[in-house]
Amino acid sequence: MQQFIDNYDFAGKKAIVRVDFNVPLNEKMEITDDTRIRAAIPTLKKVLEKGGALIIMSHLGRPKGVTEKFSLKHILGRVQELLGVPVKFADDCQKADEQVAALKMGEVLVLENLRFYAEEEGKPRGEFATDEEKKAAKAVVKENQKEFVKKLASYADCYINDAFGTAHRAHASTALIAEYFPNDKMFGYLMEGEIKAIDRVLKTPEHPVTAIVGGAKVSSKIGIIENLFDAVDNMIIGGGMVYTFIKAQGGKIGRSLCEDDQQELALNILKKAEEKGVKVYLSREVVIADDFSNDANTKICLNSEIPDGWEGMDAAPSTLAMWEEVLMNSKTILWNGPVGVFEIPAFAKGTNRIAEILAKATENGAFTLVGGGDSVAAVTQMGFAKKVSYVSTGGGAMLESLEGKELPGIAAIRK
Ligand code: AMP
């Protein structure tokens, strides 16, 4: 059964909510970017407004046990500020029974970092002399994990997962706990937004659908490209990965980025696209440079005629114009990966232009989703995040969704 929080009556109920409060902290233990906390606030406020109580659980960093540096107490002040109510803290997520029992409706309790226990991830910690020893240790953690999950579940009447950033992990709090709430488990607003955005591209898109896939390596995007062939009409391929395709076709790529062992795969991708009727638009003219730096000499040339000693760094204006035409005729657009070395200002123009085109397409009524690591950083950095339809918050989780994998955190609620 699939549930969203708007359909649930929280009055008189204690809700245990898995959020992703894994925020960056500086040496003074101050939060340097609270985006992830803010992302969960609408869900948390909803439970309180509807008359429920909140038990909030999260991980922070990658502790190997109880570690002061990774304590969630550092972020309580910010959570309190954003929620506008006092927040209590349980300094051991497995020993919160008394605090939970005392929790009244409208109150909030944050549990200490779940990853202080190896049982959260279900993986043994430490060094093992042999594989046998490691296997045995894993069996112990897996066995103890059952009690760990049971304890967390015992605190609440219902379970909400709003941690999209960890939805691709089958951990205690992101997946296993759901089975204790067969009729009282649901997605929070953040998860709901991500799921609906992905479905709008992969399952129920308005055609034509165009994907822009950029980034450095073919090998890291192959899963996405192949899966997208079943959903899209057009595929724009840019960035460093293009040169592997061009070299495989016999072009001269100078010293551009290339994965020699992926050339055959690149040719297979193009063949598959043809079989599936997907039109592929590789960058044609590119900006090349004689050095990987902002003050390198630059020229524009065809991607198959790059002189020795030069490398392709960005999409040239004529390539961007060709892509713009395809994009402005699309009703659904997905963007994953920059089309140039956008970290260097001189080679950020192509990626910047894609952000502008997506903003324009969105204004014209297209649904535009930006998902996965560096393209998210690019639209945010360029100030376009609010001008596209949806910017995903989950790097790995979004990538796995685009590869067509069912995420454990989503499956556990849908089951
Ligand atoms: P990914 O994480 O696979 O999306 O790759 C993102 C990285 O690809 C960014 O760091 C970009 O600088 C890099 N990239 C994009 N275009 C190029 C290019 N033409 N040459 C080298 N690296 C590139």
Side-chain angles (χ1 to χ4, degrees):
M1 187 171 49
Q2 187 165 327
Q3 277 191 310
F4 296 112
I5 61 175
D6 279 340
N7 311 327
Y8 195 82
D9 181 10
F10 289 99
K13 303 241 171 77
K14 287 177 185 164
I16 190 157
V17 192
R18 175 54 155 106
V19 294
D20 180 6
F21 282 174
N22 184 28
V23 290
L25 300 171
N26 62 19
E27 305 85 67
K28 289 191 210 144
M29 298 300 145
E30 294 160 344
I31 299 167
T32 53
D33 179 357
D34 66 357
T35 309
R36 287 181 174 157
I37 300 180
R38 280 188 286 107
I41 295 297
T43 294
L44 301 176
K45 280 196 168 161
K46 188 75 183 181
V47 174
L48 297 178
E49 275 164 21
K50 290 237 202 140
L54 281 173
I55 300 154
I56 300 174
M57 56 179 174
S58 177
H59 75 284
L60 176 64
R62 295 188 170 164
K64 298 274 171 271
V66 178
T67 324
E68 158 77 18
K69 190 167 99 172
F70 295 117
S71 171
L72 278 167
K73 71 179 181 209
H74 304 305
I75 61 138
L76 290 180
R78 191 76 190 112
V79 177
Q80 190 156 296
E81 244 170 69
L82 289 168
L83 271 182
V85 293
V87 169
K88 299 181 165 71
F89 184 58
D91 60 13
D92 186 332
C93 71
Q94 289 288 287
K95 295 187 181 131
D97 304 73
E98 282 178 24
Q99 283 168 288
V100 168
L103 198 68
K104 299 193 191 70
M105 293 306 125
E107 291 186 342
V108 184
L109 176 69
V110 173
L111 303 181
E112 179 58 290
N113 196 342
L114 298 164
R115 289 196 191 165
F116 282 0
Y117 284 86
E119 285 76 10
E120 162 63 359
E121 295 177 273
K123 281 192 295 206
R125 288 176 175 158
E127 302 293 318
F128 300 96
T130 63
D131 280 352
E132 294 305 298
E133 268 183 39
K134 190 169 179 186
K135 232 165 131 184
K138 184 163 185 188
V140 172
V141 177
K142 283 280 175 200
E143 190 52 36
N144 294 343
Q145 192 179 43
K146 292 177 191 157
E147 286 305 309
F148 180 84
V149 177
K150 200 168 157 190
K151 173 59 83 176
L152 294 175
S154 74
Y155 297 152
D157 304 301
C158 59
Y159 166 66
I160 303 174
N161 189 349
D162 210 20
F164 185 69
T166 46
H168 56 316
R169 310 279 183 219
H171 293 166
S173 67
T174 60
L176 305 183
I177 190 173
E179 77 176 81
Y180 284 89
F181 302 94
N183 300 309
D184 302 276
K185 55 184 179 177
M186 63 214 98
F187 299 114
Y189 287 129
L190 178 66
M191 285 283 272
E192 183 178 340
E194 298 276 354
I195 292 167
K196 288 186 172 166
I198 296 163
D199 284 355
R200 221 167 138 179
V201 173
L202 295 186
K203 293 197 180 148
T204 53
E206 213 184 318
H207 288 271
V209 184
T210 301
I212 310 161
V213 183
K217 293 183 172 171
V218 186
S219 54
S220 67
K221 297 286 162 90
I222 179 69
I224 296 181
I225 293 178
E226 292 200 322
N227 186 48
L228 289 178
F229 279 161
D230 290 325
V232 306
D233 305 288
N234 308 302
M235 184 166 300
I236 288 171
I237 301 184
M241 76 169 82
V242 165
Y243 305 100
T244 302
F245 287 87
I246 302 302
K247 187 166 176 193
Q249 289 174 329
K252 272 185 70 203
I253 61 163
R255 59 181 168 89
S256 304
L257 202 68
C258 182
E259 289 175 284
D260 281 329
D261 57 345
Q262 303 290 320
Q263 287 186 50
E264 207 181 313
L265 185 96
L267 292 179
N268 277 337
I269 289 176
L270 296 178
K271 210 168 119 215
K272 213 175 247 176
E274 209 176 314
E275 284 163 15
K276 300 238 176 193
V278 175
K279 286 203 189 103
V280 174
Y281 299 86
L282 298 177
S283 44
R284 267 177 61 73
E285 279 196 318
V286 291
V287 178
I288 58 171
D290 61 355
D291 189 26
F292 199 81
S293 75
N294 201 38
D295 35 43
N297 293 307
T298 63
K299 289 199 277 201
I300 288 177
C301 79
L302 262 184
N303 59 16
S304 54
E305 294 173 6
I306 302 178
D308 290 343
W310 291 69
E311 61 188 304
M313 298 289 276
D314 198 7
S318 63
T319 291
L320 290 161
M322 161 182 79
W323 287 346
E324 181 170 0
E325 203 181 318
V326 177
L327 291 167
M328 292 313 290
N329 283 315
S330 303
K331 290 270 168 35
T332 305
I333 301 170
L334 163 73
W335 182 19
N336 175 286
V339 299
V341 185
F342 79 104
E343 298 92 336
I344 302 180
F347 308 107
K349 292 192 190 93
T351 301
N352 205 348
R353 182 75 194 126
I354 294 287
E356 274 171 19
I357 297 170
L358 255 62
K360 202 162 74 161
T362 313
E363 233 179 75
N364 278 2
F367 179 76
T368 52
L369 166 63
V370 182
D374 273 337
S375 37
V376 171
V379 283
T380 310
Q381 179 186 317
M382 289 159 185
F384 282 97
K386 290 212 157 57
K387 295 183 180 165
V388 294
S389 309
Y390 198 85
V391 180
S392 174
T393 58
M398 182 44 102
L399 294 182
E400 290 196 15
S401 299
L402 296 177
E403 285 171 357
K405 294 182 187 155
E406 186 170 45
L407 309 186
I410 294 178
I413 303 266
R414 283 187 169 157
K415 225 172 13 195

